[in-house]
Amino acid sequence: TEISDPKLRSAYQDYNITPVIHQPEDLRHFLSDERLKDVPLTIKVNTGMNRLGFSLQELEENLPRLKSRGIKHLMTHFAYSYVPQKSGDKTTRQCEEFAKAKKLLADAGVAVEETSSANS
């Protein structure tokens, strides 16, 4: 995985680069590496674009790990950038899924400092 790559890990530490963690295996590596303890934790949630990101189930499975560290930045990416948002459309459903992720984390006592959602 990316996080376990020594060259990338060095870049995160030496050049103040923040990795976006998008899968449980990378989260495990990130949190278990003492050298990354001062690197901010940024988590990407898959809200329906289905390229990268934690599903709600994967977030739930990792709540104890996330609670012990907290999340600096929680983010998602919308599938459409060129279509005006309408009630019930894919973008609206993605917003709802992101709200569920934020609630899941808040209800579990996971501190989240900031959030963002964007499109291409």
Side-chain angles (χ1 to χ4, degrees):
T1 66
E2 294 175 10
I3 295 296
S4 62
D5 182 318
K7 289 181 182 178
L8 290 175
R9 187 177 54 236
S10 177
Y12 302 145
Q13 295 171 280
D14 300 339
Y15 300 107
N16 201 28
I17 296 172
T18 302
V20 175
I21 307 299
H22 60 87
Q23 60 186 356
E25 185 177 346
D26 282 343
L27 178 64
R28 185 175 52 77
H29 283 288
F30 183 87
L31 295 178
S32 66
D33 192 328
E34 186 64 25
R35 295 166 291 190
L36 299 175
K37 70 178 175 32
D38 295 324
V39 175
L41 177 56
T42 298
I43 298 283
K44 182 176 189 300
V45 179
N46 178 12
T47 57
M49 193 166 172
N50 298 322
R51 288 190 190 158
L52 300 171
F54 282 78
S55 67
L56 290 179
Q57 180 180 343
E58 289 170 329
L59 277 179
E60 187 169 15
E61 291 167 357
N62 285 281
L63 287 173
R65 285 186 177 118
L66 294 169
K67 187 173 182 177
S68 68
R69 173 77 178 254
I71 297 172
K72 169 69 175 167
H73 191 95
L74 184 72
M75 61 181 285
T76 193
H77 196 143
F78 296 133
Y80 299 112
S81 61
Y82 54 88
V83 179
Q85 187 174 348
K86 296 178 187 170
S87 179
D89 69 0
K90 183 165 183 93
T91 302
T92 300
R93 291 191 308 273
Q94 284 189 267
C95 286
E96 292 167 351
E97 195 73 5
F98 195 51
K100 288 178 190 175
K102 292 190 294 186
K103 182 175 180 353
L104 175 72
L105 293 165
D107 289 351
V110 177
V112 177
E113 290 185 43
E114 57 193 33
T115 64
S116 67
S117 52
N119 55 20
S120 301

